Amino acid sequence: MRLLLLPLLLVGLTGCALLQPASTSVDGIAQPAEPQLETTFFVVRHAEKASDDPQDPSLDADGEARARALAEALAEVPLKAIYSTPTRRTRATAAPVAADKALEVRDYDPAMPASELATLLHIRHAGDSVLLVGHSNTVPDIVTALCACPVEAMTEEEYGDLFRIRIASGGSTKLERDRF
């Protein structure tokens, strides 16, 4: 499936955020080259959950603080879209970022195969910076599908990982893993 995804990615990656352009020479005069463009996906697991509802828990105090920390970590990022699963904990994790960026949080189906979600996001958001909030059992597969690079499984106790997938217009990808 990854081999089939690459041509779609290359087709869908036209019109992204700017990378550093190189310069060229025309008749000995330096000319700016065509800018290269970039798509960036930020993927996180929801913050710490409370024990208030076993089916759909909210965030506990640590989780609320972590959600605010995520908003601070992404304060300078020009996000174009935010996605989360339709659970209270993922939506609450995304909420401070959405409020800061004046964006709505869009739902995605966590049962959708990661490869299909990645294809949809690549096509829909070529050139954009996008935040996606998921779960410990979905984030590694989503990151793997977005960047075509393996990511280790997460434990139920892991919170605060921020995956950044940068995709250049030529199709090269770079995965960075930070904490928030």
Side-chain angles (χ1 to χ4, degrees):
M1 184 64 178
R2 285 190 200 158
L3 294 177
L4 295 174
L5 188 59
L6 185 57
L8 284 174
L9 296 178
L10 294 176
V11 169
L13 296 174
T14 57
C16 313
L18 296 177
L19 288 176
Q20 191 74 336
S23 61
T24 59
S25 178
V26 176
D27 296 326
I29 301 171
Q31 301 289 320
E34 290 293 317
Q36 292 186 350
L37 305 171
E38 180 176 270
T39 301
T40 305
F41 295 104
F42 296 89
V43 184
V44 299
R45 179 198 180 187
H46 62 78
E48 290 87 341
K49 57 188 174 184
S51 57
D52 56 352
D53 179 349
Q55 297 300 314
D56 190 13
S58 60
L59 296 182
D60 65 14
D62 289 338
E64 290 173 5
R66 189 174 304 278
R68 289 189 301 275
L70 177 61
E72 290 173 19
L74 298 177
E76 300 301 318
V77 176
L79 291 175
K80 296 291 186 184
I82 301 172
Y83 290 87
S84 90
T85 63
T87 61
R88 291 193 311 169
R89 61 194 176 276
T90 55
R91 291 186 68 76
T93 301
V97 178
D100 285 354
K101 306 290 184 187
L103 294 170
E104 71 176 73
V105 178
R106 302 178 190 179
D107 288 346
Y108 75 91
D109 181 359
M112 178 186 289
S115 60
E116 288 179 29
L117 177 61
T119 300
L120 177 73
L121 292 171
H122 281 295
I123 292 168
R124 190 179 287 171
H125 294 290
D128 295 339
S129 292
V130 176
L131 171 63
L132 187 112
V133 182
H135 302 270
S136 62
N137 63 338
T138 62
V139 164
D141 289 342
I142 292 168
V143 172
T144 296
L146 287 168
C147 72
C149 52
V151 175
E152 293 181 21
M154 298 178 80
T155 68
E156 187 64 23
E157 292 76 34
E158 286 183 71
Y159 296 99
D161 287 323
L162 174 63
F163 296 93
R164 178 183 318 185
I165 301 106
R166 294 179 182 205
I167 305 163
S169 59
S172 64
T173 61
K174 181 178 181 182
L175 173 63
E176 300 168 340
R177 188 173 185 170
D178 293 313
R179 301 279 302 158
F180 70 95

